[in-house]
Amino acid sequence: MYEKTLVLLKPDAIERQLIGSIITYFEEAGLKIHGLKLLKAKKSVVETHYQEHKEKPFFPSVVEFLTSGPIVALVVGGYESIAKVRKICGDTEPGKAEVASIRGRWAHISRHSMTGGILKNLVHSSDCRESAAKEISLWFDECELLDYSSPNDGWFNF
Ligand code: ADP
Ligand code: MG
């Protein structure tokens, strides 16, 4: 089934100038970009975004990290894209992420920060349909999302 999911490129991805590489990764996997913006996130939005983690010890550090610099918010669509995008992003802990995933490929140098402070793992992606719907409406207005056809639709999306 065709699904849309929310992806955030975290401040480390922007600072490391990986925006293009990461978006290319999604596009080459047959996923379509429906929404795209560069922004400085508001603390309240990030707190809502990560509300499932609000009791966890790392909550303040992840909120601080996400508001520390520019981020890119994306809505990515495709056949079973929620699970596919999670796979492409890789394990939360970059040292455990598949080498060919975004985190395994570019965030592996951050692996030692898992126990200490901020875990810089480059990307966020929604983990299920319910979170995808909530997160897309948290980060995007309806008018910022566009549908369009592509000659690749027949290859990737059915
Ligand atoms: P994911 O981003 O893979 O969905 P989680 O939802 O478990 O992972 O956690 C959200 C984010 O919080 C992670 O991507 C990471 O930036 C941060 N985080 C998770 N666990 C830790 C931890 N133990 N220490 C520091 N930061 C963490
Ligand atoms: Mg998560």
Side-chain angles (χ1 to χ4, degrees):
M1 185 183 171
Y2 195 92
E3 297 170 334
K4 289 177 186 168
T5 188
L6 181 91
V7 172
L8 299 177
L9 310 191
K10 298 180 180 180
D12 53 336
I14 284 65
E15 284 163 25
R16 291 178 56 194
Q17 298 177 270
L18 289 170
I19 299 172
S21 303
I22 293 173
I23 291 177
T24 297
Y25 210 134
F26 293 126
E27 287 196 313
E28 287 182 353
L31 296 157
K32 212 185 257 187
I33 306 302
H34 292 282
L36 168 65
K37 58 187 174 186
L38 177 74
L39 71 147
K40 187 92 191 289
K42 285 195 184 120
K43 193 175 179 213
S44 58
V45 174
V46 175
E47 283 171 346
T48 305
H49 175 81
Y50 278 131
Q51 63 189 327
E52 64 170 308
H53 297 307
K54 70 172 183 291
E55 307 303 335
K56 309 245 175 81
F58 62 81
F59 183 72
S61 70
V62 76
V63 172
E64 191 190 323
F65 174 45
L66 266 284
T67 52
S68 68
I71 63 168
V72 169
L74 297 164
V75 172
V76 174
Y79 178 72
E80 293 184 354
S81 65
I82 297 171
K84 194 171 185 179
V85 167
R86 292 281 295 180
K87 236 182 200 171
I88 291 171
C89 289
D91 195 278
T92 306
E93 209 277 277
K96 291 186 191 145
E98 290 282 343
V99 174
S101 66
I102 288 167
R103 287 163 168 172
R105 189 164 168 187
W106 289 300
H108 56 96
I109 55 169
S110 308
R111 65 189 180 277
H112 299 301
S113 60
M114 188 71 187
T115 47
I118 296 166
L119 177 60
K120 296 191 173 179
N121 57 8
L122 297 171
V123 277
H124 162 83
S125 62
S126 310
D127 58 13
C128 65
R129 278 194 196 157
E130 196 193 342
S131 339
K134 261 197 243 163
E135 292 172 4
I136 289 170
S137 62
L138 177 67
W139 291 94
F140 285 88
D141 288 330
E142 194 90 17
C143 64
E144 295 174 311
L145 300 173
L146 300 170
D147 288 317
Y148 51 92
S149 57
S150 154
N152 286 334
D153 286 348
W155 289 99
F156 291 117
N157 303 307
F158 39 91

